[in-house]
């Protein structure tokens, strides 16, 4: 206990993340913010009333904020900030379609947050993820290791689930990995995927693995199309909360996240989905994972695809 975490955005994603963080019972305080007057306060009140049922002591605080910095006092001295603010995708939209509108939102909230919490670690989940992570680092002025994004955790979870369903095995027996961008240049890594220690390639034919890879790349869009009025939040919030937990506990857990890559895999100067050791200072180190030549080529292609867009966000 003794840690404080702020979750920005009280939509389904943000509020579910706040609830998961509170139920870990490792924080003194979880602060939930939103620009919709009364919404974060109401949700916080509801969550606090669940404490005796679920058996956690973490206090949830809701605060309505505005673009001029009002309401951010409640977030002061946060150890961790999770930014979920922004518009969700609608059917037919790509993550990149959200670039300009969400860039304005993410820049504004980041500047207001870091003025109150200059030592925080920032975890970005707003889309388009890789670009918003880069923007949050620029807007905060923080060292690059203290700003990271949630991407590979979610995409890997989707890949794992699809493999488990295909083979009819427990998800706990499946290990997969997804790197690259959180988008069309996502790089699932079959060579690092296994079931009960057996290589995935020994259990499924290449064409079936490629089918699951494609399904993973389109996992978010499939949910958006089914929901019609929103996007995924149960699995994404679980991923973001686990990342925040690793920071709070300085666990050193290795997780696939959007981190600053500068030399690893022969890739220079870009935020990209890679395996990284997570702790109190954010990214402790990028962990290079053995890849096939094709997987490495795909990762390098992903880095170039997101590099240009990340350069663009500096002016947004």
């Amino acid at each position: 206990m003794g840690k404080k975490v702020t979750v920005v955005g009280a939509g389904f994603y943000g509020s579910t993340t706040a609830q998961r963080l509170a139920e870990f019972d490792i924080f003194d305080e979880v602060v939930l913010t939103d620009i919709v007057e009364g919404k974060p306060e109401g949700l916080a009140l509801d969550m606090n009333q669940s404490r005796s049922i679920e058996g956690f002591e973490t206090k949830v605080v809701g605060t309505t904020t505005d673009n001029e910095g009002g309401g951010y006092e409640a977030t002061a001295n946060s150890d961790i900030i999770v930014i979920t603010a922004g518009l969700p995708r609608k059917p037919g939209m790509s993550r990149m379609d959200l670039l300009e509108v969400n860039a304005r939102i993410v820049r504004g909230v980041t500047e207001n947050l870091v003025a109150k919490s200059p030592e925080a670690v920032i975890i970005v989940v707003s889309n388009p993820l890789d670009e918003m992570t880069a923007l949050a680092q620029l807007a905060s002025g923080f060292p690059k290791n203290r700003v990271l994004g949630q991407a590979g955790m979610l995409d890997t979870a989707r890949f794992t689930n699809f493999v488990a369903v295909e083979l009819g095995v427990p998800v706990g027996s499946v290990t997969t990995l997804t790197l690259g961008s959180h988008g069309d240049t996502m790089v699932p890594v079959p060579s690092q995927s296994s079931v009960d220690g057996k290589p995935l390639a020994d259990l499924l034919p290449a064409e079936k693995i490629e089918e699951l890879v494609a399904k993973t790349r389109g996992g978010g869009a499939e949910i958006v199309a089914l929901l019609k009025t929103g996007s995924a939040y149960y699995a994404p919030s679980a991923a973001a909360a686990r990342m925040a937990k690793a920071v709070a506990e300085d666990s050193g857990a290795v997780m696939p996240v959007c981190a600053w890559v500068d030399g690893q895999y022969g890739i220079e100067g870009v935020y990209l989905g890679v395996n990284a050791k997570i702790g109190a200072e954010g990214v402790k180190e990028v962990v290079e994972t053995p890849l096939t030549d094709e997987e490495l080529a795909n990762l390098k292609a992903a880095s170039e695809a997101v590099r240009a867009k990340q350069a663009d966000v500096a002016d947004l």
Side-chain angles (χ1 to χ4, degrees):
M1 301 291 280
K3 297 287 186 179
K4 179 176 180 177
V5 56
T6 288
V7 179
V8 183
F12 288 130
Y13 195 154
S15 60
T16 309
T17 302
Q19 180 184 16
R20 293 187 190 279
L21 291 169
E23 290 180 353
F24 285 154
D25 206 24
I26 62 171
F27 298 97
D28 277 347
E29 192 173 299
V30 175
V31 180
L32 180 63
T33 81
D34 204 275
I35 60 170
V36 179
E37 186 174 358
K39 184 175 184 179
E41 290 88 346
L43 290 170
L45 184 60
D46 192 12
M47 290 181 204
N48 283 325
Q49 291 168 1
S50 77
R51 291 190 299 169
S52 63
I53 301 170
E54 289 298 320
F56 64 93
E57 294 294 337
T58 299
K59 181 181 179 183
V60 184
V61 175
T63 181
T64 302
T65 57
D66 60 42
N67 294 333
E68 288 67 49
Y72 281 90
E73 295 80 7
T75 72
N77 301 313
S78 292
D79 299 284
I80 304 164
I81 294 167
V82 182
I83 300 178
T84 78
L87 298 182
R89 282 196 288 171
K90 296 179 181 178
M93 291 179 71
S94 72
R95 292 182 177 92
M96 291 308 301
D97 291 333
L98 300 172
L99 182 59
E100 286 198 32
V101 61
N102 281 356
R104 290 192 294 272
I105 295 170
V106 169
R107 179 179 286 279
V109 300
T110 300
E111 290 172 348
N112 284 320
L113 286 160
V114 302
K116 303 293 184 184
S117 301
E119 302 301 321
V121 170
I122 298 175
I123 298 171
V124 181
V125 300
S126 305
N127 276 316
L129 189 282
D130 306 278
E131 291 73 18
M132 293 303 100
T133 304
L135 177 61
Q137 190 278 321
L138 290 169
S140 67
F142 283 3
K144 293 181 175 69
N145 63 286
R146 280 173 46 205
V147 182
L148 59 157
Q150 184 279 105
M153 281 284 287
L154 170 60
D155 298 325
T156 296
R158 287 172 171 162
F159 194 14
T160 295
N161 181 67
F162 293 143
V163 169
V165 170
E166 178 65 30
L167 291 173
V169 298
V171 292
S173 69
V174 179
T175 299
T176 69
L177 179 62
T178 303
L179 306 177
S181 77
H182 189 50
D184 294 338
T185 51
M186 188 186 301
V187 184
V189 184
S191 71
Q192 292 296 314
S193 302
S194 62
V195 179
D196 283 328
K198 298 176 183 177
L200 187 59
D202 291 352
L203 301 172
L204 289 172
E207 59 270 21
K208 176 56 69 173
I209 293 174
E210 184 53 43
E211 181 182 315
L212 296 179
V213 164
K215 192 172 178 63
T216 299
R217 286 197 183 101
E222 181 181 10
I223 293 170
V224 169
L226 289 167
L227 293 177
K228 299 180 177 62
T229 58
S231 55
Y233 57 92
Y234 286 123
S237 66
R242 286 290 170 175
M243 289 172 62
K245 187 173 188 283
V247 174
E249 295 181 335
D250 194 22
S251 71
V254 176
M255 300 176 166
V257 301
C258 180
W260 184 253
V261 177
D262 203 16
Q264 298 88 353
Y265 299 105
I267 297 169
E268 301 286 344
V270 67
Y271 270 102
L272 188 67
V274 290
N275 254 342
K277 187 178 293 185
I278 308 301
E281 65 269 39
V283 174
K284 288 175 173 286
E285 64 175 294
V286 171
V287 178
E288 291 191 66
T289 304
L291 302 175
T292 66
D293 290 345
E294 181 181 3
E295 290 163 350
L296 180 58
N298 288 339
L299 186 63
K300 289 182 175 180
S303 73
E304 294 309 312
V306 299
R307 187 189 306 278
K309 293 295 183 182
Q310 289 180 20
D312 291 343
V313 301
D315 299 321
L316 295 177

